[in-house]
Amino acid sequence: MKKTLVLSALIIPLLFGSCKQKNGANTEQATPETEQTTDNSSTSYMSDQQNTTSSVAEENLSGKVITLSSSEFIDKVCDINNPKGFAYKGHTPCLVDFYAGWCGPCMKLKPIIEKVAKDYKGDIIVYSVNVDRAQDICAAFGIESIPTLLFFSRTKQPTKIVGFVEEHELKSAIEDFIK
């Protein structure tokens, strides 16, 4: 009986935690919000000045959305295991779309992301990360609701937008970020 209670106490929070993301029950999706990531996480942001020795992978400025695995994200965007903090590895600012194939708002956002990638060809790089295949990346950045967009640059802290955004809202956020 005690084992059953202990197992129930461990399993039930896990079930409800995953439903929050899969069912879109999080209210963050209803109204998009922009927020700066904060340093209260165990790993903080490192500016370009602190990360002068990182090697930069060749950047793809094709204007297409590039899907990344966890290891590719670590190679091209930032190392989530760096004890000194997150540091963007690229030179060109990037937008990372965290999505899942089963997520309705994510699929609605997909054509907007593809259009933005074409419209800002050469100014930003657009990546996508499937949350079901990159749970380590999601955990590192506190991705609890999708779609979530993260903006990275060498000179600014990452910026997060949670929830579906219209094309004009996304373009405005990109313009503000790449200034």
Side-chain angles (χ1 to χ4, degrees):
M1 183 67 176
K2 286 184 180 180
K3 288 181 182 180
T4 304
L5 289 174
V6 170
L7 283 174
S8 296
L10 294 174
I11 292 174
I12 290 174
L14 292 175
L15 290 174
F16 286 115
S18 64
C19 290
K20 179 178 176 182
Q21 187 180 55
K22 287 193 177 195
N23 291 333
N26 191 332
T27 58
E28 291 176 325
Q29 286 188 353
T31 57
E33 62 183 68
T34 303
E35 60 185 58
Q36 292 284 339
T37 55
T38 59
D39 290 339
N40 60 359
S41 62
S42 60
T43 312
S44 63
Y45 171 76
M46 284 182 2
S47 71
D48 184 34
Q49 291 78 24
Q50 295 168 316
N51 187 30
T52 56
T53 60
S54 73
S55 62
V56 177
E58 187 174 322
E59 294 181 333
N60 183 337
L61 301 174
S62 67
K64 295 182 180 182
V65 178
I66 303 156
T67 302
L68 300 177
S69 65
S70 290
S71 60
E72 291 169 326
F73 181 94
I74 291 168
D75 290 342
K76 295 176 189 261
V77 180
C78 73
D79 184 359
I80 62 170
N81 299 313
N82 187 342
K84 293 182 181 178
F86 300 128
Y88 179 52
K89 293 184 174 184
H91 289 293
T92 306
C94 78
L95 166 65
V96 182
D97 172 29
F98 289 87
Y99 78 98
W102 46 261
C103 170
C106 298
M107 294 299 103
K108 186 178 173 185
L109 184 60
K110 185 176 180 175
I112 295 170
I113 296 293
E114 290 170 351
K115 184 172 184 330
V116 163
K118 288 178 190 173
D119 292 349
Y120 287 92
K121 178 180 177 179
D123 293 327
I124 63 167
I125 301 169
V126 180
Y127 296 116
S128 65
V129 174
N130 186 323
V131 298
D132 292 327
R133 296 186 182 131
Q135 293 178 358
D136 54 341
I137 304 298
C138 295
F141 289 100
I143 307 298
E144 296 179 354
S145 183
I146 53 175
T148 293
L149 304 173
L150 279 178
F151 296 90
F152 289 90
S153 123
R154 290 178 76 82
T155 59
K156 296 181 180 178
Q157 288 204 353
T159 302
K160 182 189 286 187
I161 297 177
V162 177
F164 176 82
V165 291
E166 297 291 340
E167 182 179 343
H168 69 278
E169 295 170 311
L170 180 55
K171 286 185 172 185
S172 177
I174 290 169
E175 291 292 333
D176 288 344
F177 191 75
I178 61 176
K179 283 187 201 178

